[in-house]
């Protein structure tokens, strides 16, 4: 599959010779961190047929059965401080919406902050992890990991996630050429990495347009509690601005939300 993806990238693609294919790996993000610590360069891309320990945000697992989805991580080495990368997950989400739309004609939505959504269900997720150079606030590397459900039927999802997960094939009613999508994702990630530090306002504008959470009555899931509130807006770094029932407004930097059903 590596070779196929390589042939689908433009001949002068700067990341073309930095693709690594794994039949089975614990997690492409974990392996990417191991490789980055040993000096792997910016633009090193890892793809797996299957992950045995796929990871999501908040310590969750990400189901990664063989050949059904795309499990991809990339190592980025932007020359900047950590605080300049607060919008990295949002930028990746926009890039992944662009890639899926280019390859399939269908543009997913984004549930704040890192879920790709189709028909109200989870199509995929993004896990970004940063490593800071010791004794400084400078980035050593960032690992950006993306999992997208491609060719599962509803019955391929286990009972507990069947109602909340969806594949691109189900969403678009067409099988997905995983190599083409992987090549599209790599191109979109490269473009994203080129504009990350200069294009934040435009990236966040597009993220707001893709974000299905804004304007919704939601629950903020915090310390095991479900707090009802209204999603008002996003700040420039992607933090969610919510209004509580007592009228107070809060900016939420991390955490989990669910949309309230009416
Ligand atoms: C989430 O749903 O919270 C994020 C899921 C991210 C999954 C991808 S699959 C490729 C990469 N490797 C991992 O272990 N996680 C990410």
């Amino acid at each position: 599959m590596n070779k196929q993806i390589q042939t689908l990238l433009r001949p002068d693609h700067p990341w073309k010779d930095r693709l690594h294919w794994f039949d089975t790996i614990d997690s492409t993000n974990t392996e990417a961190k191991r490789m980055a610590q040993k000096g792997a360069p910016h633009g090193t891309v890892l793809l797996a047929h299957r992950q045995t320990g796929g990871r999501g945000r908040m310590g969750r697992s990400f189901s990664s059965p063989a050949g059904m989805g795309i499990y991809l991580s990339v190592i980025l080495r932007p020359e900047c401080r950590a605080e300049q990368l607060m919008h990295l997950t949002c930028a990746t989400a926009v890039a992944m919406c662009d890639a899926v739309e280019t390859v399939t004609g269908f543009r997913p939505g984004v549930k704040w902050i890192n879920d790709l959504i189709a028909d109200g269900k989870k199509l995929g997720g993004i896990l970004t992890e940063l490593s800071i150079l010791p004794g400084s606030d400078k980035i050593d590397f960032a690992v950006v990991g993306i999992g997208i459900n491609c060719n599962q039927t509803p019955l391929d999802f286990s009972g507990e996630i069947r109602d909340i997960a969806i594949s691109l094939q189900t969403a678009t009613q067409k099988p997905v050429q995983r190599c083409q999508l992987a090549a599209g994702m790599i191109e979109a990630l490269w473009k994203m990495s080129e504009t990350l530090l200069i294009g934040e306002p435009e990236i966040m504008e597009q993220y707001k347009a893709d974000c299905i959470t804004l304007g919704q009555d939601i629950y903020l899931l915090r310390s095991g509690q479900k707090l009802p509130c209204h999603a008002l807006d996003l700040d420039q770094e992607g933090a969610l601005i919510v209004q509580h029932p007592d009228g107070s407004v809060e900016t939420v930097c991390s955490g989990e939300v669910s949309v309230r059903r009416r």
Side-chain angles (χ1 to χ4, degrees), residues 149-223:
N149 304 322
C150 289
N151 286 324
Q152 290 96 334
T153 67
L155 288 178
D156 288 320
F157 292 110
S158 69
E160 74 231 31
I161 60 170
R162 194 166 300 147
D163 289 343
I164 54 169
I166 192 168
S167 70
L168 258 182
Q169 168 167 298
T170 303
T172 62
Q173 300 290 303
K174 279 188 217 125
V176 179
Q177 303 302 322
R178 285 189 311 134
C179 287
Q180 265 177 9
L181 182 57
M185 288 164 67
I186 293 167
E187 176 65 15
L189 286 165
W190 172 77
K191 267 194 202 144
M192 183 270 282
S193 75
E194 292 285 295
T195 54
L196 192 58
L197 298 177
I198 50 170
E200 187 176 342
E202 294 78 14
I203 291 168
M204 290 312 299
E205 211 45 51
Q206 185 59 51
Y207 183 86
K208 280 189 193 184
D210 288 326
C211 183
I212 61 159
T213 311
L214 293 182
Q216 301 278 342
D217 289 331
I218 60 169
Y219 286 113
L220 201 55
L221 311 179
R222 182 186 275 167
S223 319

Side-chain angles (χ1 to χ4, degrees), residues 25-31 46-48 51 53-64 70-74 114-116 122 124-129 143-148 256:
I25 192 92
D26 49 357
S27 147
T28 53
N29 261 42
T30 307
E31 177 64 16
L46 296 82
L47 285 139
Q51 296 184 118
R55 298 187 288 111
R57 276 178 80 238
M58 328 274 291
R60 301 221 175 89
S61 61
F62 185 81
S63 164
S64 314
I70 294 192
Y71 318 116
L72 181 154
S73 300
V74 62
N114 69 321
D115 282 342
L116 301 177
K122 180 159 172 163
I126 294 161
L127 178 65
T128 49
E129 299 181 279
V143 169
V144 175
I146 306 110
I148 298 186
E256 180 87 6

